[in-house]
Amino acid sequence: MSLAQVWEEQGEFLEEAVEEGPYTEEDYYNIPEHVRAELIEGHLIYNLASPSRFHQTILMELGTVINNYIKSKGGPCRVYPAPFAVKLREGQKTIVEPDISVICDRDKLTDRGCTGAPDWVVEIVSPSNPGHDYIKKLSLYEAAGVREYWIVDPRKEQVFVYHLDKENFSLSTYTFQDKIQVGIYEDLWIDFAELDL
């Protein structure tokens, strides 16, 4: 039985499942719209559980702050919440759906999403598979050239901020009570204590 058949029969009971590949970009785009999935190195990873209310609150609060800042500056960057397909590199069998993608080079935007590394990615950790965000996606984003990567962990109430520039790679850790400077902008600070969480 294929994973797609398993999803149809018992999807409401599964949080995440992996269908071994190799699968292609076209396979990914042929997945039904109501199914969230990512293509990681040719393997399809189905995210079957709906995000929690807290996850969605964090997503909306952060997305709103970021979008309002960009609009106030009139800059070229765009903010896209999940589901939004990001093909990290041409020719690579990897398409991810970050919780928040900030893309400043509009030439990377296509009708299907983004081709190339976003400037800034925010992932909100799922309790079912934290290693996916902490390990796998960190490696993928760093290799693809994402400049800044935030991991927001609702259970720990922590934010891990990675500056992925190879010359100045760094990690800073914050709590939900801290005010955090965004590395790709000089004058954007996000005060987690002021978010309506």
Side-chain angles (χ1 to χ4, degrees):
M1 177 182 293
S2 75
L3 189 60
Q5 291 168 316
V6 170
W7 186 87
E8 288 297 329
E9 290 186 12
Q10 48 185 314
E12 67 271 19
F13 302 110
L14 299 172
E15 290 193 10
E16 183 175 283
V18 177
E19 192 168 346
E20 299 295 326
Y23 288 94
T24 66
E25 180 179 345
E26 285 310 309
D27 293 324
Y28 168 83
Y29 286 115
N30 285 322
I31 295 170
E33 283 187 28
H34 66 281
V35 178
R36 261 192 91 187
E38 294 181 306
L39 179 67
I40 307 285
E41 297 171 345
H43 304 297
L44 287 172
I45 300 175
Y46 290 82
N47 301 304
L48 302 173
S50 296
S52 70
R53 182 189 61 80
F54 192 35
H55 178 287
Q56 294 300 86
T57 300
I58 295 169
L59 176 69
M60 288 301 296
E61 288 288 310
L62 284 175
T64 299
V65 169
I66 297 164
N67 195 49
N68 287 344
Y69 169 84
I70 290 171
K71 282 188 170 189
S72 74
K73 297 295 182 179
C77 302
R78 298 298 299 259
V79 182
Y80 295 95
F84 179 74
V86 174
K87 182 179 175 182
L88 290 171
R89 287 185 179 181
E90 198 63 57
Q92 188 182 50
K93 293 181 181 175
T94 297
I95 301 173
V96 293
E97 292 187 358
D99 287 309
I100 297 174
S101 302
V102 177
I103 297 126
C104 299
D105 179 355
R106 293 195 183 188
D107 288 339
K108 293 180 180 179
L109 298 174
T110 69
D111 288 341
R112 288 184 157 176
C114 174
T115 298
D119 294 86
W120 178 20
V121 168
V122 178
E123 294 283 10
I124 302 164
V125 176
S126 165
S128 65
N129 190 1
H132 192 58
D133 295 320
Y134 280 107
I135 300 167
K136 189 64 179 174
K137 284 194 170 178
L138 172 61
S139 175
L140 288 171
Y141 293 148
E142 191 271 334
V146 172
R147 294 165 54 198
E148 187 165 353
Y149 176 39
W150 288 25
I151 301 174
V152 179
D153 194 322
R155 286 183 16 184
K156 295 179 180 179
E157 295 194 355
Q158 289 185 307
V159 182
F160 301 87
V161 176
Y162 291 88
H163 298 283
L164 299 178
D165 176 32
K166 293 187 187 324
E167 305 296 320
N168 299 302
F169 182 96
S170 67
L171 165 64
S172 301
T173 305
Y174 302 92
T175 73
F176 278 20
Q177 299 305 310
D178 292 326
K179 188 174 183 179
I180 306 170
Q181 183 176 16
V182 177
I184 67 168
Y185 299 111
E186 291 182 4
D187 59 346
L188 174 57
W189 293 76
I190 296 180
D191 190 342
F192 269 73
E194 289 187 357
L195 298 180
D196 188 12
L197 304 180

